[in-house]
Amino acid sequence: GKDISKLTPQDRVKEGISFVPQTRNVFTGLSVQENLEMGAYLREESVHEIINEIYELFPVLKEKKFQIVGELSGGQRQQVALGRALMTKPSVLMLDEPTAGVDVELRQDMWKVVESLRKTGVTIILTTHYIEEAEAIADRVGVINQGEIIVVD
């Protein structure tokens, strides 16, 4: 019920909205830990607890926390991007193709994380080409063709 169209990105984050773009979604020259810390730049409280929660969601990131993100696989970069977005404890999480370019096993892991987030009450809005996988966890599904909504379920 609130118009956010004129809010700055920082103000949208303050309103509880996080966004993970499909590409260019990590700081490749920073470590995993530094990327997560960048996601918390608006938080006033300690970030250590939330960083540990991110490492529980994505154990491989804990193992690689001091590694430069540019050296990680595409799937691991996606995990960093999602983890960074979660650092603000959003109430709305927007994901653009969160499983694009990742192998099947990691894709399944990412869907499990998205589903677990949804179960905690986070509203998730996502775009994907993996319709069946999204339908398995979604409350509602919309299909857009060339900018026009053609189906809403």
Side-chain angles (χ1 to χ4, degrees):
K2 183 174 183 178
D3 182 0
I4 64 166
S5 63
K6 293 183 175 77
L7 294 180
T8 65
Q10 299 91 306
D11 288 335
R12 290 177 187 177
V13 170
K14 289 177 185 175
E15 290 293 323
I17 301 169
S18 281
F19 173 60
V20 179
Q22 180 178 358
T23 59
R24 289 182 256 159
N25 55 14
V26 292
F27 299 104
T28 56
L30 300 178
S31 71
V32 169
Q33 180 91 13
E34 290 167 330
N35 266 268
L36 295 179
E37 290 170 352
M38 289 296 292
Y41 75 96
L42 292 177
R43 292 180 65 94
E44 294 179 10
E45 63 275 3
S46 172
V47 298
H48 299 294
E49 183 178 314
I50 184 68
I51 285 178
N52 287 331
E53 290 176 21
I54 302 304
Y55 288 151
E56 285 178 28
L57 280 175
F58 304 112
V60 69
L61 298 185
K62 185 174 185 177
E63 296 170 16
K64 297 178 180 283
K65 67 182 170 182
F66 300 117
Q67 189 165 345
I68 299 299
V69 170
E71 300 170 355
L72 299 177
S73 71
Q76 291 166 344
R77 289 182 191 196
Q78 283 295 90
Q79 291 176 334
V80 171
L82 180 52
R84 193 180 68 233
L86 294 174
M87 289 297 294
T88 62
K89 294 280 200 170
S91 55
V92 176
L93 179 62
M94 299 177 2
L95 305 171
D96 184 10
E97 295 286 352
T99 60
V102 302
D103 64 44
V104 175
E105 184 178 328
L106 183 56
R107 190 171 78 224
Q108 296 306 317
D109 290 344
M110 292 287 280
W111 285 119
K112 289 176 188 171
V113 168
V114 170
E115 183 174 21
S116 71
L117 292 170
R118 184 184 70 81
K119 288 179 179 177
T120 67
V122 175
T123 298
I124 299 172
I125 301 169
L126 67 87
T127 62
T128 185
H129 286 90
Y130 298 103
I131 302 287
E132 291 87 19
E133 293 171 357
E135 283 180 322
I137 63 171
D139 292 321
R140 296 179 62 196
V141 174
V143 178
I144 299 173
N145 185 18
Q146 296 185 1
E148 182 180 343
I149 299 170
I150 58 173
V151 176
V152 175
D153 178 29

